[in-house]
Amino acid sequence: MDKELNIPLSVNKKPAAMRTDDEKKELIQRLRRVEGQVRGIQRMVEEDRYCVDILVQLSAITAALKKVGYNLLEDHTRGCVSHAVSNGEGDEAINELMKVIQQFSK
């Protein structure tokens, strides 16, 4: 079943509606914050910090990445999938979306 979830990168596909500058800025800010958190965890490991403290920080990073992912899933559904449905290409887009949701839910 996992083989069915293997979703190759779509290098040639473009979003149906491009993200606004504000949307890009917000996503990039969130990802930079996560990047900083990961560096913080690296320091915690180097400093032999208490395992529970590190795990709490890992949990925060996971939640932050999930939030970015849900944001992108919503954008994709409202933009690309909706556009595909209105152009008669809904089955393929919905199948792809379901695979992404399954992968994201792991």
Side-chain angles (χ1 to χ4, degrees):
M1 184 175 200
D2 283 343
K3 290 179 183 176
E4 294 175 13
L5 298 180
N6 186 13
I7 304 165
L9 291 178
S10 303
V11 179
N12 296 325
K13 285 188 178 180
K14 296 287 182 193
M18 300 304 278
R19 288 176 197 90
T20 66
D21 287 340
D22 287 342
E23 290 169 334
K24 284 184 203 180
K25 184 178 177 181
E26 183 179 332
L27 285 172
I28 289 168
Q29 285 175 339
R30 286 183 185 277
L31 291 169
R32 285 186 178 147
R33 195 172 307 127
V34 169
E35 182 182 21
Q37 289 174 301
V38 170
R39 281 194 302 273
I41 289 177
Q42 290 171 335
R43 279 191 302 275
M44 291 173 80
V45 170
E46 289 170 354
E47 296 167 0
D48 291 322
R49 296 278 300 272
Y50 186 51
C51 296
V52 171
D53 294 341
I54 295 171
L55 291 167
V56 167
Q57 291 304 310
L58 282 172
S59 177
I61 289 171
T62 301
L65 286 173
K66 286 255 185 210
K67 188 162 184 160
V68 169
Y70 285 126
N71 183 304
L72 290 169
L73 275 171
E74 181 178 0
D75 288 350
H76 179 66
T77 303
R78 291 183 188 278
C80 298
V81 175
S82 177
H83 181 75
V85 168
S86 66
N87 288 336
E89 301 167 355
D91 287 342
E92 180 183 342
I94 291 170
N95 288 336
E96 180 184 56
L97 176 64
M98 294 310 299
K99 287 179 184 179
V100 169
I101 291 171
Q102 289 173 353
Q103 182 69 35
F104 192 73
S105 300
K106 283 185 169 185

